[in-house]
Amino acid sequence: MESYAQTDVGLKRNNNQDFVYASDHRIGPLDGLLVVADGMGGQAAGDLASRLCVEAMVDVIEGSADSGTVRVLSKAIRAANRAVCERARTDPGLEGMGTTLVAAVPDHGCLYVANVGDSRLYIVDDDRIEQITHDHSLVEEMVRAGKLRRDQAKNHPKKNIITRAIGEEGDPQIDFFDVALNRNDFALLCSDGLTNMVEDEQIFRIIHESRDLAEAGKKLIDAANRAGGKDNISVVLAKF
């Protein structure tokens, strides 16, 4: 696996509440780790929540003696949830802080994916771009229930209301996916600062027209900023 990670404050925000992580090499029992977290809960709280989440995950994975990718990921995400909750309890100014999370681990020709919230993972092959994760958002639930058309969801005023997050009391509700990888497949993990600004077809085109992952990542962020840059923008790209 080859990877690239970048995050950008965008054009409208004063600080960056996103946090990204990418390791091409073995981390604990895992063959690599890719993560995007998009924090919420005010400026100080949002960037703290996303950083705490990822750091707690990495600490647990590095020290894990478990085997089984999904088991290790699940344990790490639960620990991250506890870390964010415990920190929020120490300071009234941090009450309600939380973060989305999307994480991926390659393992013997498969990609194991976990998500909580509306940050996404896409697989991009020679012919198409496919969203693997499901957004945990109010608008997406309305679409799945048939109460809202997909074309109405893009600019819905409640689009940013998420229904799951890291930082909620109790065990987090985590979706897990496994994807068979083909040679030269790309994975894209991103926050909604990208997908709210750039259409999937343009993302596909940028990735395939770029010389390498770094160029693709920079061009994706530039495209989001050219479209308005209304939020922090994070991308993690991997090629297998």
Side-chain angles (χ1 to χ4, degrees):
M1 179 176 73
E2 172 192 358
S3 67
Y4 175 81
Q6 185 177 350
T7 185
D8 186 86
V9 70
L11 301 180
K12 304 296 184 181
R13 300 294 178 93
N14 294 321
N15 72 323
N16 194 342
Q17 298 183 62
D18 289 0
F19 198 91
V20 296
Y21 178 91
S23 175
D24 300 344
H25 306 294
R26 195 163 184 84
I27 169 173
L30 304 183
D31 287 339
L33 179 66
L34 311 168
V35 186
V36 168
D38 180 356
M40 67 202 78
Q43 290 188 358
D47 51 17
L48 176 60
S50 59
R51 178 173 60 81
L52 275 177
C53 172
V54 178
E55 289 177 349
M57 284 185 67
V58 172
D59 284 348
V60 168
I61 293 168
E62 286 180 336
S64 178
D66 287 341
S67 60
T69 299
V70 172
R71 184 160 57 249
V72 174
L73 262 181
S74 180
K75 181 179 177 182
I77 294 170
R78 292 197 305 270
N81 192 70
R82 289 194 300 272
V84 173
C85 288
E86 288 167 4
R87 186 59 183 273
R89 293 189 204 108
T90 68
D91 183 345
L94 301 177
E95 183 179 358
M97 78 174 182
T99 182
T100 70
L101 170 72
V102 60
V105 177
D107 185 358
H108 296 92
C110 285
L111 191 67
Y112 290 89
V113 181
N115 85 292
V116 180
D118 63 355
S119 294
R120 295 179 178 177
L121 182 140
Y122 292 88
I123 293 293
V124 181
D125 63 19
D126 290 339
D127 302 313
R128 62 176 181 161
I129 179 170
E130 180 182 3
Q131 182 180 337
I132 303 300
T133 53
H134 300 154
D135 295 352
H136 302 139
S137 67
L138 179 61
V139 165
E140 184 61 26
E141 289 184 0
M142 292 167 67
V143 170
R144 288 200 291 264
K147 297 178 180 178
L148 192 68
R149 296 195 314 272
R150 177 66 61 188
D151 62 311
Q152 295 174 315
K154 184 73 175 177
N155 298 306
H156 195 280
K158 295 183 178 180
K159 181 175 178 59
N160 293 326
I161 298 176
I162 63 172
T163 54
R164 297 188 204 175
I166 299 296
E168 297 176 341
E169 293 293 340
D171 280 340
Q173 291 180 272
I174 311 164
D175 281 356
F176 289 97
F177 307 87
D178 58 274
V179 184
L181 293 171
N182 297 306
R183 186 175 178 82
N184 295 325
D185 279 355
F186 296 89
L188 167 66
L189 294 77
C190 58
S191 61
D192 64 352
L194 176 69
T195 52
N196 284 343
M197 296 287 102
V198 185
E199 296 292 340
D200 290 1
E201 293 77 10
Q202 186 179 359
I203 292 172
F204 174 88
R205 189 168 61 252
I206 287 171
I207 290 173
H208 277 289
E209 291 176 353
S210 299
R211 291 169 296 181
D212 54 31
L213 296 183
E215 181 178 298
K218 291 170 185 175
K219 284 184 174 180
L220 288 171
I221 287 174
D222 288 346
N225 278 325
R226 284 197 305 273
K230 295 180 180 179
D231 199 353
N232 307 145
I233 311 151
S234 290
V235 300
V236 173
L237 281 161
K239 188 175 183 181
F240 306 96

